[in-house]
Amino acid sequence: RHLGATSAWILCFTTLAQASISKQTWFYCSIGMALSIASYVCHQVSVLSYLPGLSMVRPTENGWVDDPQERYKINSVANAAALATQLSITLFVSSVAFWFDLGDTATAAVAQGIVGSLLFVVYACVWTGRRDIVSCAFRDHAPTKQLPEGASLFLTALNEVWNSWTTLKRRRPAARFFLSGYACAAAGMGSFGSLSVVFMHDRLRVDGSTTVLVMALCVVFAVPASASAPRCMRYLGARKTLICTIAYMVLTTILAAFVLCGPACRDRVWLFAPIWGVGFGVFYAANNAAWTELVPPDAVAQFMALYYFAAQVLSWAPPLAYAVLNQVYDDSQLA
């Protein structure tokens, strides 16, 4: 909880500071953005460490057991709420920018100010540690490991990642294969939003306001898809649902590269926005559930850090591949 609270407040204040972005402050805001990204990673690891305990139910007097259906529901509801919040903020900021005829810089400043203020209110509630005051506050959790006396925190962290990896090899070999594949899939899904915006601008010559509406439509369809994901996982299981969703996104994105052939085809992007939205909604609802099914039940919280590490470790690769292919062949469609 202390790690989560510390990273949350760093994220909150650095986001608020970025509301001052201008020609004079852009360099300092970029430093703040780097701090925000780093603190967000720590924050997400802390939040995910609470996830396993949320799906524990007590059907009998014999003790607590993990309920897969409860896990599916928690992941889906959390993802749907996050997507709905993202959509609401996007539409609100876009409306303010349109009403007051704000430029790109002013719009970015307004967005950062709104997000930072929202984070301040939410984090003040959930990280207070006082459940007697705020019922939704995170409880204190004991450390998963004790830091050896005189040991370096950084080297100990690296050692823990390696130990977790070797433990998975011994106890859950399938989880190692999952992490390897998930690292690639998460990198592609995580970079999809930014790269699709670049593609629409470079290849389709779509203006900024249309781009925002397309991405908003994508999120509109992602929210109900995420909410309905438990039904898919109930019949197929989390792992098969995740695999089918990745295959679905691969095929539709390859198809889009040929269908969205140039400025004359720009209107076709409205067809793909809801298709991609459905894929995003199910993917992010199923991935956490699939991972928690694979790892040892007594060490799920410990392995959440390794899971999130896999989600981030290749996040640089898709933008780099896109940039290199676009520069070498001058063909954003190929990229």
Side-chain angles (χ1 to χ4, degrees):
R1 187 183 66 82
H2 292 297
L3 175 63
T6 301
S7 57
W9 289 118
I10 293 174
L11 176 59
C12 178
F13 286 114
T14 52
T15 303
L16 280 173
Q18 291 174 66
S20 64
I21 188 170
S22 65
K23 290 182 178 180
Q24 292 74 30
T25 62
W26 69 267
F27 178 73
Y28 302 103
C29 287
S30 65
I31 296 176
M33 182 174 65
L35 291 173
S36 296
I37 294 172
S39 59
Y40 176 76
V41 171
C42 295
H43 180 262
Q44 287 302 99
V45 170
S46 300
V47 171
L48 288 174
S49 69
Y50 282 88
L51 179 62
L54 298 178
S55 58
M56 300 297 288
V57 297
R58 193 173 187 177
T60 66
E61 295 297 325
N62 296 330
W64 295 84
V65 296
D66 182 64
D67 183 4
Q69 302 303 323
E70 189 70 14
R71 187 191 310 123
Y72 299 159
K73 183 175 70 174
I74 289 170
N75 281 291
S76 299
V77 171
N79 188 59
L83 290 169
T85 304
Q86 178 184 357
L87 175 63
S88 301
I89 293 175
T90 301
L91 293 177
F92 179 77
V93 172
S94 299
S95 301
V96 171
F98 176 78
W99 183 266
F100 292 99
D101 194 22
L102 302 178
D104 291 342
T105 303
T107 302
V110 170
Q112 294 295 83
I114 293 174
V115 172
S117 301
L118 183 62
L119 291 178
F120 187 90
V121 174
V122 173
Y123 291 161
C125 294
V126 300
W127 291 116
T128 180
R130 295 289 304 276
R131 291 183 65 87
D132 56 327
I133 299 176
V134 183
S135 61
C136 62
F138 285 116
R139 293 185 175 93
D140 278 317
H141 273 193
T144 55
K145 290 289 182 68
Q146 295 294 331
L147 182 66
E149 186 175 354
S152 165
L153 181 60
F154 177 72
L155 293 179
T156 302
L158 292 179
N159 187 53
E160 281 299 309
V161 171
W162 176 251
N163 287 340
S164 299
W165 183 254
T166 54
T167 300
L168 285 180
K169 180 181 180 181
R170 184 177 68 255
R171 299 181 60 184
R172 290 291 193 275
R176 293 194 359 147
F177 289 106
F178 174 87
L179 280 182
S180 301
Y182 179 67
C184 299
M189 296 292 282
S191 304
F192 185 90
S194 58
L195 292 182
S196 61
V197 170
V198 174
F199 177 82
M200 284 190 287
H201 179 269
D202 292 348
R203 186 75 182 183
L204 306 181
R205 299 291 186 260
V206 174
D207 58 63
S209 58
T210 303
T211 299
V212 171
L213 291 176
V214 170
M215 300 307 293
L217 181 62
C218 184
V219 178
V220 166
F221 278 82
V223 174
S226 179
S228 62
R231 186 179 298 273
C232 297
M233 290 186 279
R234 190 176 299 119
Y235 291 107
L236 297 177
R239 185 177 63 87
K240 287 184 179 179
T241 300
L242 182 62
I243 292 173
C244 291
T245 305
I246 294 172
Y248 168 86
M249 290 296 291
V250 168
L251 293 175
T252 55
T253 304
I254 292 175
L255 178 64
F258 293 97
V259 175
L260 304 176
C261 52
C265 307
R266 71 178 64 174
D267 290 340
R268 298 175 186 174
V269 75
W270 295 103
L271 172 65
F272 284 94
I275 293 175
W276 285 325
V278 170
F280 269 101
V282 179
F283 175 84
Y284 284 109
N287 56 4
N288 288 347
W291 171 246
T292 53
E293 287 183 352
L294 287 172
V295 299
D298 58 330
V300 176
Q302 175 186 348
F303 288 112
M304 276 300 179
L306 186 62
Y307 164 75
Y308 199 75
F309 174 79
Q312 301 295 322
V313 68
L314 293 179
S315 58
W316 53 271
L320 177 63
Y322 185 95
V324 170
L325 289 171
N326 202 20
Q327 289 295 321
V328 172
Y329 297 103
D330 192 24
D331 188 349
S332 56
Q333 187 178 21
L334 172 64

